[in-house]
Amino acid sequence: MSEVKIKELRSDIDELNELLKLSKRKKIQDILSLEIRKLETEWINLKETENASTPMDTTLAPTTSTSAQKKYQIKLNGYGWDQSDKYIQVFVTLKNVHTVPKDQVYCKLTDRSMELHIDNLDNKDYLLVINKLLEPINIAESHWKQKTDRVVIFLAKSRPNVKWSHMTEIEKKFEDQRNNRFKTDDSEKKDPQESIMSLMKNMYETGDDDMKRMISKAWYEGQHKKKTDTLDL
């Protein structure tokens, strides 16, 4: 299932990149770039999980248990992150995680990777792996906290005040490759309006409030510019 999902995401990203190359208005380019980045993050997380998985690649993998009831390990893909001058903060949402004893919620860290382990939550073990961090971290000053329905990991930056553009090297690599491709690729001249408008409609119908506001603003400004151009003529 994950392999099929990875292929579908890659196809979606490639098609969005083609539309981005054809688009002319900055607002449209910003919206397409945002959607591409979201899909690429999801694609990268799935790829990392696929590469790190055992030969038995299932969402629920039985783990060793001394009891008659089997425990399962669930590999987590989703997380949020933010940063301050000193820390990269990783947010993992998981219902009832605050009820797990503290010694069963822990991280294994290296200077360029982190693993979050949550053991025996409703008879399941949870694992989040993030490899190839963009910058090295200070393991001794890193820590984590359990909060209501979530865990927050504080990864201390080895170089405080250095802003991370991405969470991992892989994400930055794909972003750089995409930007370089746009600079060097001399695409064919053709009218992109029909494909872009169809995509924008779909993104508006399925997007969140911020996405809808961006699309509405871009549409309004585009229509206003058309009227102004006509009056000038």
Side-chain angles (χ1 to χ4, degrees):
M1 177 64 72
S2 59
E3 185 176 350
V4 173
K5 179 67 172 177
I6 289 171
K7 290 181 179 179
E8 289 179 350
L9 282 172
R10 186 71 260 170
S11 297
D12 290 343
I13 292 166
D14 291 341
E15 185 168 340
L16 282 168
N17 279 324
E18 290 300 317
L19 290 172
L20 182 57
K21 287 186 289 184
L22 296 172
S23 64
K24 297 177 182 179
R25 290 184 52 75
K26 186 177 185 305
K27 289 288 184 181
I28 304 300
Q29 292 170 350
D30 289 344
I31 294 170
L32 292 174
S33 296
L34 177 62
E35 188 69 14
I36 289 168
R37 183 163 181 173
K38 286 167 59 179
L39 292 181
E40 283 184 339
T41 298
E42 183 179 355
W43 182 84
I44 289 165
N45 288 336
L46 284 175
K47 286 286 288 184
E48 287 184 344
T49 301
E50 185 82 7
N51 292 337
S53 64
T54 60
M56 183 172 57
D57 186 16
T58 58
T59 302
L60 298 176
T63 59
T64 303
S65 174
T66 57
S67 65
Q69 188 177 13
K70 292 181 179 179
K71 280 202 305 180
Y72 292 91
Q73 184 182 83
I74 300 177
K75 293 183 174 68
L76 300 170
N77 295 320
Y79 64 89
W81 70 283
D82 201 353
Q83 63 183 306
S84 62
D85 291 341
K86 187 174 181 180
Y87 291 103
I88 295 293
Q89 299 149 28
V90 182
F91 306 97
V92 180
T93 301
L94 194 60
K95 187 176 181 180
N96 294 328
V97 70
H98 55 284
T99 65
V100 178
K102 287 187 176 181
D103 62 346
Q104 292 174 203
V105 178
Y106 57 93
C107 286
K108 294 181 180 179
L109 304 176
T110 72
D111 63 340
R112 298 300 283 265
S113 70
M114 65 150 279
E115 292 183 6
L116 170 65
H117 294 258
I118 302 168
D119 294 342
N120 201 23
L121 172 57
D122 296 330
N123 204 47
K124 299 180 183 68
D125 294 341
Y126 292 84
L127 173 65
L128 171 67
V129 179
I130 305 178
N131 291 315
K132 296 184 179 179
L133 297 171
L134 184 66
E135 294 275 345
I137 61 173
N138 185 326
I139 298 173
E141 295 185 8
S142 298
H143 58 281
W144 51 91
K145 293 181 180 180
Q146 284 172 259
K147 300 190 176 184
T148 303
D149 293 336
R150 67 173 176 163
V151 180
V152 183
I153 303 99
F154 296 84
L155 303 176
K157 296 178 178 179
S158 287
R159 296 195 297 162
N161 301 313
V162 173
K163 185 177 178 62
W164 291 25
S165 60
H166 301 76
M167 187 66 181
T168 66
E169 289 182 348
I170 296 174
E171 291 175 350
K172 186 176 188 304
K173 178 181 177 182
F174 276 98
E175 181 80 7
D176 291 343
Q177 287 178 345
R178 182 170 64 85
N179 290 337
N180 289 336
R181 185 164 66 248
F182 293 155
K183 292 177 182 178
T184 57
D185 186 16
D186 187 14
S187 60
E188 296 180 359
K189 301 289 184 181
K190 54 183 178 180
D191 184 7
Q193 293 302 314
E194 183 176 351
S195 296
I196 290 176
M197 292 308 298
S198 176
L199 174 67
M200 297 288 285
K201 180 180 178 182
N202 179 263
M203 288 171 64
Y204 184 88
E205 291 174 349
T206 60
D208 56 22
D209 291 341
D210 289 337
M211 177 66 72
K212 289 179 179 179
R213 280 195 293 271
M214 289 179 64
I215 294 174
S216 296
K217 184 177 180 183
W219 174 263
Y220 172 79
E221 291 179 352
Q223 294 299 311
H224 185 266
K225 186 175 186 302
K226 285 182 181 179
K227 292 179 180 179
T228 303
D229 293 344
T230 302
L231 290 174
D232 290 343
L233 290 174

